[in-house]
Amino acid sequence: MQELKKLMQEFGIVGAGGAGFPSYAKLAEGADLLLINGAECEPLLATDYILLRDEMDLVLQGVLEIIAKTSISKAYIAVKAHNAERLGWKDGEKLADGVFARALPDVYPLGDEISLIYEATGRLIKPGKLPITEGIIVYNVETMYNLGIAKRFSRPVTTKWLTIGGEVKKPVVIKVPIGAKISDIFEKLDIKVKEGYTVIDGGPSMGKVINPRTYAVNKTTKGILILPDNSQAILSKKMNENMAISRAETACCQCTRCTDMCPRHLLGYPLEPHKMVRTAMGAVEAMPEMVISATLCCGCGVCESLACNQGISPRAVIDNYKKLLSKNRLRFDKNGDYSVKEEREYRMIPYKKWMSMLGVSKFDKDIDFAGEINDFSRVEMTLSRHIGKPSIPTVADGDFVKEGDLIASAADGLSLPQHASISGRVTLGNDKIIIDKVR
């Protein structure tokens, strides 16, 4: 296992699903099951589907490498039912020695690690605990692809697969160098952002608003979407946080719908958004431990976009509590007996219903792979876009590097190195390394 962990760290492999946790740090003794997350929980994204369709050999190489180097003997690759059908997979079908398909229901939010594990395996991760406590390690599809690339070609992570969708002529999946500017990608695809539209990194539910003129692709970018400002997906992201919190404190009628529909609550977690909303902010600032269960929230947005009929955002309140808890280094760690609620299966949200609630249904179109785009004259490599300590530059202004060269080493502790995604001349920036192709 140590050999595998060293390979993962040396080649800069990070969780490609969005969180950015260094992949080597997930490997631990005691696991008996590897779960590959291909659920593509968020609407409008197809990156993992395209990788499974077109690069399955390399994805499987990564999966089989983990099985070979650990005590794990079985792996599931979990996808939504509609993608399983398109891939020609049946639930439980053998894909390779020890590797099986899992077809998940077409509901939201099954990309959430805790929900995914329960749906795919029947095992419930106790609140505040990690998957390894139930013998499971979870990786994203693209993470396994990157491990396959590292093992077969001894190549570090220098490229990213991502969906470009929303208000575009045709949504596509492309492969680009890490650090490519979004504005350059849009120019090459002849995409213009219209007035009244916003660009986000990620899906319409949990993605973050970005400035396409300055933002660059990083190792966790799964998709870039252009969505209308008047859609619920964007309105919730642009809500004034202080106003949202004040409104929640004064307007909530305590109907409990946000709690009744909360996916984590339905799994038996002691998370009750309606109680979070009614808790006075002043009291929380004095005693943050009173909202310790806020750390159990996965941020799916069901409470604000579907459950609440008063335009309140329990998520905004909980997010604020999370910041306060993080500042005080507090997290939920209470032991107890937890069990999935019987009503869960009747309150799961159909995938298409969720798209409708977010106002993005019209953008749900067939997506295909448009190829690799690699003729970029500049990339900007971020040093801290992973969980843990920032990478440490090993190059200086003016140095010439080749694609794949080490440009930043891992710091002590939890960290990852960075490698040049194009060949060119180096300029050191604030928390980033800029590489300009030499003409």
Side-chain angles (χ1 to χ4, degrees):
M1 182 185 294
Q2 291 305 314
E3 177 188 344
L4 181 55
K5 293 180 77 167
K6 182 179 178 182
L7 177 74
M8 285 180 156
Q9 184 175 34
E10 180 182 345
F11 286 94
I13 299 175
V14 67
F21 195 78
S23 299
Y24 73 90
K26 277 191 174 185
L27 287 178
E29 299 292 345
D32 62 11
L33 180 65
L34 177 64
L35 182 56
I36 308 305
N37 186 353
E40 297 214 275
C41 176
E42 290 267 36
L44 311 184
L45 302 180
T47 307
D48 292 337
Y49 163 71
I50 294 296
L51 278 167
L52 289 171
R53 189 195 70 179
D54 295 356
E55 300 288 346
M56 185 62 172
D57 184 44
L58 283 166
V59 173
L60 280 176
Q61 174 136 11
V63 174
L64 293 172
E65 182 66 14
I66 291 179
I67 290 177
K69 297 293 174 59
T70 68
S71 60
I72 294 172
S73 59
K74 180 185 287 187
Y76 292 150
I77 300 182
V79 297
K80 293 281 185 68
H82 70 278
N83 279 335
E85 183 177 354
R86 291 200 292 172
L87 291 166
W89 294 1
K90 292 182 179 179
D91 186 43
E93 177 182 348
K94 183 178 179 180
L95 303 174
D97 288 342
V99 185
F100 303 88
R102 292 296 287 156
L104 307 170
D106 286 320
V107 298
Y108 178 82
L110 284 191
D112 164 42
E113 190 171 69
I114 306 301
S115 297
L116 172 72
I117 290 171
Y118 179 74
E119 199 64 38
T121 72
R123 304 184 196 181
L124 179 62
I125 308 302
K126 291 182 179 180
K129 304 300 181 182
L130 296 173
I132 190 63
T133 60
E134 292 296 325
I136 299 173
I137 294 176
V138 183
Y139 285 121
N140 176 258
V141 167
E142 190 174 1
T143 306
M144 292 297 91
Y145 166 82
N146 287 331
L147 178 56
I149 289 286
K151 184 62 181 177
R152 185 177 298 183
F153 303 110
S154 295
R155 208 160 65 210
V157 180
T158 59
T159 59
K160 195 74 182 74
W161 295 66
L162 65 152
T163 302
I164 305 293
E167 184 57 40
V168 296
K169 293 177 183 177
K170 180 175 173 53
V172 294
V173 170
I174 56 174
K175 181 182 177 184
V176 297
I178 293 169
K181 297 284 289 293
I182 302 303
S183 57
D184 292 339
I185 293 173
F186 282 177
E187 182 179 349
K188 292 179 185 302
L189 294 175
D190 193 26
I191 293 173
K192 293 179 174 59
V193 181
K194 301 177 183 177
E195 186 74 23
Y197 285 79
T198 292
V199 182
I200 62 173
D201 175 357
S205 314
M206 302 171 72
K208 296 182 179 180
V209 173
I210 62 168
N211 182 345
R213 293 185 294 276
T214 60
Y215 198 78
V217 172
N218 59 74
K219 289 183 179 181
T220 63
T221 305
K222 292 300 291 184
I224 300 295
L225 303 179
I226 304 171
L227 301 176
D229 291 346
N230 61 3
S231 65
Q232 174 60 28
I234 298 301
L235 289 172
S236 65
K237 299 180 197 314
K238 292 192 172 182
M239 187 183 303
N240 180 280
E241 184 182 87
N242 293 329
M243 185 180 296
I245 292 171
S246 297
R247 183 176 183 180
E249 290 178 336
T250 57
C252 178
C253 69
Q254 289 292 289
C255 69
T256 76
R257 274 174 55 89
C258 55
T259 295
D260 294 339
M261 294 298 296
C262 173
R264 289 285 181 90
H265 179 77
L266 290 169
L267 283 170
Y269 277 36
L271 176 62
E272 298 176 287
H274 75 284
K275 291 184 178 179
M276 296 281 177
V277 170
R278 78 183 185 195
T279 305
M281 186 62 67
V284 172
E285 289 174 348
M287 293 186 296
E289 62 273 10
M290 68 189 297
V291 291
I292 195 72
S293 62
T295 60
L296 303 176
C297 171
C298 69
C300 67
V302 168
C303 56
E304 72 178 9
S305 296
L306 176 65
C308 186
N309 57 13
Q310 293 184 292
I312 290 171
S313 175
R315 176 164 68 172
V317 176
I318 293 173
D319 281 349
N320 199 58
Y321 291 162
K322 283 181 178 179
K323 294 174 186 175
L324 186 62
L325 291 165
S326 177
K327 181 180 178 181
N328 287 275
R329 298 184 178 180
L330 295 172
R331 62 190 298 272
F332 189 92
D333 62 355
K334 298 178 181 179
N335 293 319
D337 294 325
Y338 304 100
S339 59
V340 177
K341 297 187 179 299
E342 292 182 2
E343 59 267 30
R344 176 178 179 269
E345 64 175 302
Y346 307 111
R347 293 183 183 171
M348 298 171 80
I349 305 164
Y351 185 70
K352 291 190 178 295
K353 172 69 172 178
W354 184 242
M355 282 195 291
S356 176
M357 294 301 299
L358 293 176
V360 299
S361 297
K362 69 176 183 178
F363 304 117
D364 183 31
K365 303 174 183 177
D366 287 340
I367 302 177
D368 209 345
F369 182 52
E372 181 174 2
I373 305 174
N374 53 22
D375 56 335
F376 292 90
S377 59
R378 166 176 283 201
V379 295
E380 298 184 0
M381 313 282 291
T382 307
L383 297 173
S384 61
R385 202 56 67 84
H386 56 260
I387 292 175
K389 296 181 180 178
S391 311
I392 302 171
T394 56
V395 291
D397 283 337
D399 284 354
F400 180 83
V401 295
K402 294 182 179 179
E403 180 184 342
D405 283 354
L406 180 71
I407 57 174
S409 62
D412 291 338
L414 188 66
S415 187
L416 284 172
Q418 306 290 340
H419 300 82
S421 60
I422 66 172
S423 300
R425 194 75 63 188
V426 167
T427 303
L428 296 182
N430 183 26
D431 189 41
K432 61 186 176 183
I433 296 176
I434 301 167
I435 305 175
D436 288 293
K437 188 175 288 186
V438 178
R439 299 297 183 183

